[in-house]
Amino acid sequence: MTPVAVVTGAAGGLGSAAVAALAQQGWGIVAVDLVEGSGTGEWVQGDVRDDATLRRALKVASELGQLGGLVTATLAEGKAPLEELDTRVIADVLEAQVGAAWAWTAAAVEAGASSVVHVSSVHAQRAKAGMAAYAMGKAALDALVRAAAVEWGPRGVRCNAVLPGFVPVERNRARWSDPAAAEELLNHHPLRRFVTAADVAEVVAFLLGPQARAVTGVSLPVDGGMLAQLPDWA
C-alpha cells in the first residue's frame, strides 16, 4: 500500500518543496493550504486551525493509502516590536504554529502516522528585533517535538523538526535580489551560499522516511552554518 504524507502549508516555498521531495521518493501526498496549489498530490483547501480541514485531509489520506507521515510548514509571523506586540497577535501566532501543529500531530498519529516533521526556524534559538512572536512560536514548536518524541516513542512514533535559516523565496525577494543586501546575508553563512527550499525539503524527506528510523526528538538546523557562527565583534 502506498505510504501517504500530509503536508500543511503546501502552497508556500518550503511546503511546496517538501511536497516535491516526498513525491519523488514515492509518497502519496495530501497537500493542505489556504489556497489551492498546482503541484503534485491531492489538495485540501482550508485553514489548518479549522477541525473540518483536518478531518478532510485525513479522509483524503485514507482514500489514497496508508497514512505514514505528517509535515507541517504553516507560516505565521506577527512582526512587531516587543512594546507594540498585542496579546491577540501572540495568541494567533501560537495557535497557528503550535496549537495547530499539536492538533494535526495528535490526529495523524491516531490515524496511523509514525513519523512527523515540523518546519521550525533558527529563530527558535536566536533573537531578531521585531520577530518575538514568531520566535516564541518556533521555540514552543521545538518543545513539542521533544515532548512527542518522548511520550510517543514507545508507540513507534518519531517526531523531529528542521530549523531553516534564510531561504530565498518570493516573499523575501527584496533582500536577496539586491546584490549589497545579498552579500551582507552571505556573510552570516559559513558555506557562502544560500540554503534553498529544495535543500530544506531533502532533509525533511530524510527525517520523515525510514533512513532516519533511529532519529527522534531532534531539531536539526538547515542553515548553511548560521547558528554555528559567532558575530564578528572586531
Side-chain angles (χ1 to χ4, degrees), residues 3 47 182:
D47 192 325

Side-chain angles (χ1 to χ4, degrees), residues 107-184:
V109 168
E110 195 62 32
S114 60
S115 184
V116 178
V117 179
H118 296 298
V119 176
S120 182
S121 168
V122 293
H123 286 269
Q125 298 186 11
R126 297 291 186 272
K128 181 176 175 60
M131 298 294 291
Y134 181 72
M136 290 159 62
K138 291 305 187 184
L141 188 60
D142 284 3
L144 171 63
V145 163
R146 294 188 294 272
V150 170
E151 292 197 33
W152 290 337
R155 296 169 58 177
V157 175
R158 297 186 299 108
C159 190
N160 294 290
V162 291
L163 278 64
F166 181 82
V167 178
V169 292
E170 189 58 36
R171 67 185 178 84
N172 57 28
R173 171 178 289 274
R175 298 189 68 190
W176 55 265
S177 62
D178 175 76
E183 182 62 25
E184 174 59 27

Side-chain angles (χ1 to χ4, degrees), residues 6 41 67 79 101 112 115 163 213:
V6 173
L67 180 63
K79 292 182 180 179
S115 184
L163 278 64
R213 58 188 173 272

Side-chain angles (χ1 to χ4, degrees), residues 1-233:
M1 184 176 289
T2 302
V4 177
V6 173
V7 182
T8 70
L14 294 180
S16 177
V19 166
L22 290 168
Q24 189 173 22
Q25 291 193 3
W27 290 82
I29 303 294
V30 178
V32 183
D33 211 311
L34 279 171
V35 296
E36 185 172 343
S38 57
T40 302
E42 298 294 325
W43 283 83
V44 173
Q45 188 173 352
D47 192 325
V48 295
R49 296 168 295 184
D50 187 345
D51 287 342
T53 304
L54 172 53
R55 290 194 299 271
R56 287 202 309 274
L58 292 182
K59 183 176 185 297
V60 173
S62 68
E63 293 168 351
L64 281 181
Q66 174 59 50
L67 180 63
L70 169 70
V71 176
T72 71
T74 304
L75 177 67
E77 291 183 312
K79 292 182 180 179
L82 269 175
E83 65 274 15
E84 296 177 13
L85 264 182
D86 188 289
T87 53
R88 289 169 297 183
V89 172
I90 296 173
D92 286 345
V93 171
L94 291 177
E95 182 183 4
Q97 288 193 171
V98 187
W102 170 81
W104 283 72
T105 300
V109 168
E110 195 62 32
S114 60
S115 184
V116 178
V117 179
H118 296 298
V119 176
S120 182
S121 168
V122 293
H123 286 269
Q125 298 186 11
R126 297 291 186 272
K128 181 176 175 60
M131 298 294 291
Y134 181 72
M136 290 159 62
K138 291 305 187 184
L141 188 60
D142 284 3
L144 171 63
V145 163
R146 294 188 294 272
V150 170
E151 292 197 33
W152 290 337
R155 296 169 58 177
V157 175
R158 297 186 299 108
C159 190
N160 294 290
V162 291
L163 278 64
F166 181 82
V167 178
V169 292
E170 189 58 36
R171 67 185 178 84
N172 57 28
R173 171 178 289 274
R175 298 189 68 190
W176 55 265
S177 62
D178 175 76
E183 182 62 25
E184 174 59 27
L185 282 167
L186 285 172
N187 288 335
H188 300 285
H189 293 70
L191 287 180
R192 298 297 297 169
R193 61 175 285 264
F194 288 133
V195 173
T196 67
D199 291 332
V200 178
E202 288 178 8
V203 179
V204 169
F206 164 73
L207 289 173
L208 200 70
Q211 291 175 318
R213 58 188 173 272
V215 181
T216 193
V218 168
S219 292
L220 180 63
V222 189
D223 65 352
M226 289 180 70
L227 288 176
Q229 179 171 274
L230 283 170
D232 184 1
W233 292 311

